[in-house]
Amino acid sequence: MTIPLSVLDLAPIAPGETARDSFAASVALAQQAERHGYRRVWYAEHHNMSSIASSATAVLIGHVASQTSTIRLGAGGVMLPNHSPLVIAEQFGTLETLYPGRIDLGLGRAPGSDQATFLAMRRDMAASERFPQDVLELQAYLAGESRVAGVQAVPGGGTNVPLYILGSSLFGAQLAAALGLPYAFASHFAPDALHDAVAVYRREFQPSARLAEPYVLAGLNVIASDDADDAQQQFAAIKRIRLAGLLSRGGQVGPGREFSDAELDHLLRTPAGAHVASMTTFSAVGTPADVREYVQQFARTADADELIVAHQSPTTEARLRSVELLADAMQGATV
């Protein structure tokens, strides 16, 4: 079979650029994906991160939807513990009403931020424990079958926006299976439990009114370039960027501290660097032929029905080229 390709847009804010630049890049990326036959583009909710612009996920989806025509757009995902299910039903019900048949809603259990930021959003620290109940409440709002007497999502009720459970552990796999929902595994940055989680999901899946058979999306990093050495250089740059971000967020360096490439290359040989290497375990890097071979093998071993690809090149121009090269390389490819 041929495997559908989708895009996970991490909405990066590159050094020296602004959030506005990131939004323009997201529009260009979605337009490029639409031209080249990708199925969907998703955006992840992150907060208090100076290098990521997708904190207001629903707003960004609406902006990109207004400048594309056919490609599906969605959250990959909304971190439901940060929100009330009613508000998310209203937001995504609004999007589905404006752009019918084009909106997805992926749901995650993690807060997508540190503890201080979570508290700044006025959320209860126990909210993650209510995730299964919140998913059911949200699903009911979108179906027009509210579980809360006298409360309806307007807009939202009856839109039946498709839900996806996101995860990087067995918990999400078991929940998606029990609810009969599609499952998306975050193997682009948390690879360890991929195979076990997919196996559990497929084994325990219970058919639902929304989904008759299990459906798995697996995350994958891709850097496709016309030149193999260039692809490897981009990959090295991305690993430096990730490491610098981890050190900054972890409070291991002072504010404003900038590292040279040589310093970061040295630090990549430390335990912090090993963590970055683990995060990028599943990465297809190289020429179109190289990437095609890796993607085919990954899709088979991951037992995935669809791949959601994070094009990790450090510049917008290189990401757009990677989107094009991967799509062309996978034309007619089977797994």
Side-chain angles (χ1 to χ4, degrees):
M1 69 171 186
T2 58
I3 190 159
L5 297 176
S6 295
V7 172
L8 177 64
D9 181 359
L10 301 174
I13 304 174
E17 295 189 350
T18 65
R20 187 180 182 89
D21 296 323
S22 175
F23 298 148
S26 288
V27 170
L29 191 69
Q31 290 172 338
Q32 181 81 321
E34 185 172 79
R35 281 192 293 269
H36 290 278
Y38 288 75
R39 178 168 290 184
R40 67 187 94 239
V41 181
W42 280 0
Y43 308 92
E45 176 187 344
H46 293 282
H47 298 279
N48 194 31
M49 296 178 68
S50 61
S51 61
I52 295 180
S54 54
S55 55
T57 312
V59 179
L60 180 56
I61 291 168
H63 175 64
V64 176
S66 72
Q67 299 184 66
T68 51
S69 300
T70 58
I71 196 164
R72 298 191 66 88
L73 300 164
V78 161
M79 301 296 106
L80 198 52
N82 297 341
H83 312 277
S84 76
L86 175 62
V87 168
I88 297 304
E90 291 168 342
Q91 289 178 0
F92 281 80
T94 298
L95 288 168
E96 175 64 23
T97 301
L98 291 169
Y99 306 101
R102 296 182 56 201
I103 303 300
D104 299 328
L105 177 48
L107 301 169
R109 185 172 65 129
S113 60
D114 56 60
Q115 188 177 61
T117 306
F118 187 73
L119 292 173
M121 290 186 286
R122 307 294 194 268
R123 300 303 295 159
D124 177 359
M125 293 304 293
S128 294
E129 302 306 316
R130 297 192 297 271
F131 181 65
Q133 293 77 18
D134 284 350
V135 171
L136 290 172
E137 183 180 334
L138 172 58
Q139 186 176 45
Y141 285 132
L142 293 170
E145 302 167 354
S146 176
R147 291 178 161 224
V148 182
V151 178
Q152 299 292 329
V154 183
T159 58
N160 292 306
V161 176
L163 300 184
Y164 297 75
I165 300 298
L166 278 58
S168 57
S169 68
L170 300 188
F171 176 89
Q174 291 168 327
L175 180 62
L179 298 181
L181 292 174
Y183 179 54
F185 191 90
S187 38
H188 63 290
F189 77 92
D192 292 348
L194 170 64
H195 300 103
D196 288 343
V198 171
V200 165
Y201 170 70
R202 291 194 179 279
R203 183 174 65 248
E204 298 184 5
F205 181 82
Q206 298 295 315
S208 69
R210 298 281 175 252
L211 191 65
E213 297 179 349
Y215 192 85
V216 173
L217 298 88
L220 175 66
N221 300 298
V222 170
I223 297 176
S225 173
D226 296 286
D227 179 78
D229 289 340
D230 175 66
Q232 291 298 332
Q233 289 169 13
Q234 291 184 44
F235 192 36
I238 285 298
K239 286 189 280 191
R240 294 186 196 110
I241 290 168
R242 283 202 177 188
L243 178 58
L246 286 172
L247 294 174
S248 175
R249 290 195 299 277
Q252 298 179 46
V253 297
R257 169 73 159 92
E258 293 186 3
F259 294 94
S260 68
D261 286 354
E263 287 176 314
L264 288 168
D265 286 340
H266 172 73
L267 290 168
L268 282 167
R269 296 190 288 272
T270 68
H275 180 57
V276 170
S278 175
M279 292 171 68
T280 56
T281 295
F282 296 127
S283 298
V285 179
T287 65
D290 297 331
V291 168
R292 173 178 168 138
E293 181 179 358
Y294 188 102
V295 168
Q296 288 177 297
Q297 179 182 10
F298 175 78
R300 287 192 295 268
T301 58
D303 197 13
D305 300 292
E306 180 177 336
L307 299 183
I308 186 153
V309 174
H311 288 276
Q312 291 280 13
S313 298
T315 68
T316 301
E317 180 182 10
R319 284 196 296 279
L320 295 177
R321 183 60 174 155
S322 184
V323 168
E324 178 183 9
L325 290 175
L326 175 63
D328 291 347
M330 294 302 293
Q331 284 286 338
T334 58
V335 296

PDB file of all heavy atoms in Angstrom, residues 4-21:
ATOM      1  N   PRO A   4      -0.154   7.546   3.404  1.00  0.00           N
ATOM      2  CA  PRO A   4      -0.372   8.992   3.379  1.00  0.00           C
ATOM      3  C   PRO A   4       0.693   9.731   4.183  1.00  0.00           C
ATOM      4  O   PRO A   4       1.160   9.242   5.223  1.00  0.00           O
ATOM      5  CB  PRO A   4      -1.752   9.156   4.019  1.00  0.00           C
ATOM      6  CG  PRO A   4      -2.379   7.805   3.974  1.00  0.00           C
ATOM      7  CD  PRO A   4      -1.264   6.823   4.041  1.00  0.00           C
ATOM      8  N   LEU A   5       1.043  10.911   3.701  1.00  0.00           N
ATOM      9  CA  LEU A   5       1.982  11.782   4.394  1.00  0.00           C
ATOM     10  C   LEU A   5       1.267  13.024   4.889  1.00  0.00           C
ATOM     11  O   LEU A   5       0.428  13.591   4.188  1.00  0.00           O
ATOM     12  CB  LEU A   5       3.120  12.210   3.463  1.00  0.00           C
ATOM     13  CG  LEU A   5       4.040  11.130   2.924  1.00  0.00           C
ATOM     14  CD1 LEU A   5       5.031  11.737   1.936  1.00  0.00           C
ATOM     15  CD2 LEU A   5       4.788  10.429   4.063  1.00  0.00           C
ATOM     16  N   SER A   6       1.589  13.436   6.098  1.00  0.00           N
ATOM     17  CA  SER A   6       1.096  14.679   6.660  1.00  0.00           C
ATOM     18  C   SER A   6       2.267  15.435   7.261  1.00  0.00           C
ATOM     19  O   SER A   6       3.385  14.932   7.301  1.00  0.00           O
ATOM     20  CB  SER A   6       0.020  14.403   7.714  1.00  0.00           C
ATOM     21  OG  SER A   6      -1.122  13.821   7.113  1.00  0.00           O
ATOM     22  N   VAL A   7       2.010  16.661   7.720  1.00  0.00           N
ATOM     23  CA  VAL A   7       3.066  17.525   8.240  1.00  0.00           C
ATOM     24  C   VAL A   7       2.744  17.939   9.661  1.00  0.00           C
ATOM     25  O   VAL A   7       1.614  18.328   9.968  1.00  0.00           O
ATOM     26  CB  VAL A   7       3.235  18.787   7.368  1.00  0.00           C
ATOM     27  CG1 VAL A   7       4.203  19.782   8.015  1.00  0.00           C
ATOM     28  CG2 VAL A   7       3.733  18.418   5.977  1.00  0.00           C
ATOM     29  N   LEU A   8       3.736  17.854  10.536  1.00  0.00           N
ATOM     30  CA  LEU A   8       3.677  18.479  11.842  1.00  0.00           C
ATOM     31  C   LEU A   8       4.529  19.736  11.771  1.00  0.00           C
ATOM     32  O   LEU A   8       5.748  19.659  11.638  1.00  0.00           O
ATOM     33  CB  LEU A   8       4.208  17.539  12.923  1.00  0.00           C
ATOM     34  CG  LEU A   8       4.260  18.129  14.335  1.00  0.00           C
ATOM     35  CD1 LEU A   8       2.852  18.453  14.837  1.00  0.00           C
ATOM     36  CD2 LEU A   8       4.961  17.171  15.299  1.00  0.00           C
ATOM     37  N   ASP A   9       3.880  20.889  11.821  1.00  0.00           N
ATOM     38  CA  ASP A   9       4.590  22.166  11.759  1.00  0.00           C
ATOM     39  C   ASP A   9       4.900  22.602  13.180  1.00  0.00           C
ATOM     40  O   ASP A   9       3.994  22.923  13.952  1.00  0.00           O
ATOM     41  CB  ASP A   9       3.720  23.200  11.033  1.00  0.00           C
ATOM     42  CG  ASP A   9       4.407  24.554  10.902  1.00  0.00           C
ATOM     43  OD1 ASP A   9       5.548  24.708  11.391  1.00  0.00           O
ATOM     44  OD2 ASP A   9       3.791  25.465  10.312  1.00  0.00           O
ATOM     45  N   LEU A  10       6.166  22.642  13.534  1.00  0.00           N
ATOM     46  CA  LEU A  10       6.575  23.019  14.880  1.00  0.00           C
ATOM     47  C   LEU A  10       6.596  24.527  15.083  1.00  0.00           C
ATOM     48  O   LEU A  10       6.933  24.999  16.174  1.00  0.00           O
ATOM     49  CB  LEU A  10       7.938  22.411  15.196  1.00  0.00           C
ATOM     50  CG  LEU A  10       7.973  20.878  15.115  1.00  0.00           C
ATOM     51  CD1 LEU A  10       9.392  20.356  15.291  1.00  0.00           C
ATOM     52  CD2 LEU A  10       7.042  20.264  16.139  1.00  0.00           C
ATOM     53  N   ALA A  11       6.252  25.298  14.044  1.00  0.00           N
ATOM     54  CA  ALA A  11       6.152  26.763  14.129  1.00  0.00           C
ATOM     55  C   ALA A  11       7.359  27.393  14.815  1.00  0.00           C
ATOM     56  O   ALA A  11       7.218  28.175  15.760  1.00  0.00           O
ATOM     57  CB  ALA A  11       4.856  27.158  14.829  1.00  0.00           C
ATOM     58  N   PRO A  12       8.572  27.071  14.346  1.00  0.00           N
ATOM     59  CA  PRO A  12       9.753  27.606  15.026  1.00  0.00           C
ATOM     60  C   PRO A  12       9.937  29.102  14.788  1.00  0.00           C
ATOM     61  O   PRO A  12       9.591  29.631  13.732  1.00  0.00           O
ATOM     62  CB  PRO A  12      10.895  26.813  14.381  1.00  0.00           C
ATOM     63  CG  PRO A  12      10.391  26.476  13.014  1.00  0.00           C
ATOM     64  CD  PRO A  12       8.914  26.237  13.183  1.00  0.00           C
ATOM     65  N   ILE A  13      10.461  29.774  15.795  1.00  0.00           N
ATOM     66  CA  ILE A  13      10.908  31.160  15.660  1.00  0.00           C
ATOM     67  C   ILE A  13      12.430  31.108  15.608  1.00  0.00           C
ATOM     68  O   ILE A  13      13.092  30.859  16.623  1.00  0.00           O
ATOM     69  CB  ILE A  13      10.439  32.033  16.833  1.00  0.00           C
ATOM     70  CG1 ILE A  13       8.909  31.968  16.980  1.00  0.00           C
ATOM     71  CG2 ILE A  13      10.891  33.483  16.632  1.00  0.00           C
ATOM     72  CD1 ILE A  13       8.398  32.683  18.214  1.00  0.00           C
ATOM     73  N   ALA A  14      12.988  31.322  14.435  1.00  0.00           N
ATOM     74  CA  ALA A  14      14.427  31.208  14.261  1.00  0.00           C
ATOM     75  C   ALA A  14      15.143  32.389  14.924  1.00  0.00           C
ATOM     76  O   ALA A  14      14.550  33.467  15.089  1.00  0.00           O
ATOM     77  CB  ALA A  14      14.770  31.162  12.770  1.00  0.00           C
ATOM     78  N   PRO A  15      16.401  32.208  15.326  1.00  0.00           N
ATOM     79  CA  PRO A  15      17.160  33.328  15.891  1.00  0.00           C
ATOM     80  C   PRO A  15      17.136  34.536  14.954  1.00  0.00           C
ATOM     81  O   PRO A  15      17.342  34.404  13.745  1.00  0.00           O
ATOM     82  CB  PRO A  15      18.580  32.751  16.021  1.00  0.00           C
ATOM     83  CG  PRO A  15      18.369  31.275  16.165  1.00  0.00           C
ATOM     84  CD  PRO A  15      17.184  30.956  15.297  1.00  0.00           C
ATOM     85  N   GLY A  16      16.849  35.698  15.498  1.00  0.00           N
ATOM     86  CA  GLY A  16      16.791  36.914  14.696  1.00  0.00           C
ATOM     87  C   GLY A  16      15.465  37.140  14.002  1.00  0.00           C
ATOM     88  O   GLY A  16      15.286  38.163  13.319  1.00  0.00           O
ATOM     89  N   GLU A  17      14.516  36.205  14.149  1.00  0.00           N
ATOM     90  CA  GLU A  17      13.208  36.352  13.534  1.00  0.00           C
ATOM     91  C   GLU A  17      12.147  36.545  14.606  1.00  0.00           C
ATOM     92  O   GLU A  17      12.421  36.459  15.807  1.00  0.00           O
ATOM     93  CB  GLU A  17      12.888  35.145  12.645  1.00  0.00           C
ATOM     94  CG  GLU A  17      13.826  35.020  11.452  1.00  0.00           C
ATOM     95  CD  GLU A  17      13.392  33.956  10.462  1.00  0.00           C
ATOM     96  OE1 GLU A  17      12.463  33.174  10.778  1.00  0.00           O
ATOM     97  OE2 GLU A  17      13.978  33.890   9.364  1.00  0.00           O
ATOM     98  N   THR A  18      10.914  36.826  14.169  1.00  0.00           N
ATOM     99  CA  THR A  18       9.819  37.109  15.086  1.00  0.00           C
ATOM    100  C   THR A  18       8.711  36.074  14.935  1.00  0.00           C
ATOM    101  O   THR A  18       8.710  35.278  13.989  1.00  0.00           O
ATOM    102  CB  THR A  18       9.226  38.496  14.795  1.00  0.00           C
ATOM    103  OG1 THR A  18       8.621  38.475  13.487  1.00  0.00           O
ATOM    104  CG2 THR A  18      10.306  39.573  14.838  1.00  0.00           C
ATOM    105  N   ALA A  19       7.737  36.129  15.833  1.00  0.00           N
ATOM    106  CA  ALA A  19       6.585  35.252  15.710  1.00  0.00           C
ATOM    107  C   ALA A  19       5.847  35.518  14.404  1.00  0.00           C
ATOM    108  O   ALA A  19       5.331  34.584  13.774  1.00  0.00           O
ATOM    109  CB  ALA A  19       5.648  35.442  16.902  1.00  0.00           C
ATOM    110  N   ARG A  20       5.796  36.765  13.971  1.00  0.00           N
ATOM    111  CA  ARG A  20       5.142  37.082  12.705  1.00  0.00           C
ATOM    112  C   ARG A  20       5.839  36.374  11.546  1.00  0.00           C
ATOM    113  O   ARG A  20       5.188  35.866  10.625  1.00  0.00           O
ATOM    114  CB  ARG A  20       5.127  38.593  12.484  1.00  0.00           C
ATOM    115  CG  ARG A  20       4.310  39.035  11.278  1.00  0.00           C
ATOM    116  CD  ARG A  20       4.350  40.559  11.125  1.00  0.00           C
ATOM    117  NE  ARG A  20       3.530  40.987   9.999  1.00  0.00           N
ATOM    118  CZ  ARG A  20       2.241  41.276  10.083  1.00  0.00           C
ATOM    119  NH1 ARG A  20       1.622  41.159  11.263  1.00  0.00           N
ATOM    120  NH2 ARG A  20       1.573  41.667   9.022  1.00  0.00           N
ATOM    121  N   ASP A  21       7.166  36.326  11.583  1.00  0.00           N
ATOM    122  CA  ASP A  21       7.912  35.587  10.555  1.00  0.00           C
ATOM    123  C   ASP A  21       7.529  34.105  10.590  1.00  0.00           C
ATOM    124  O   ASP A  21       7.387  33.461   9.547  1.00  0.00           O
ATOM    125  CB  ASP A  21       9.422  35.729  10.776  1.00  0.00           C
ATOM    126  CG  ASP A  21       9.918  37.152  10.634  1.00  0.00           C
ATOM    127  OD1 ASP A  21       9.402  37.879   9.765  1.00  0.00           O
ATOM    128  OD2 ASP A  21      10.814  37.535  11.409  1.00  0.00           O
TER     129      ASP A  21
END
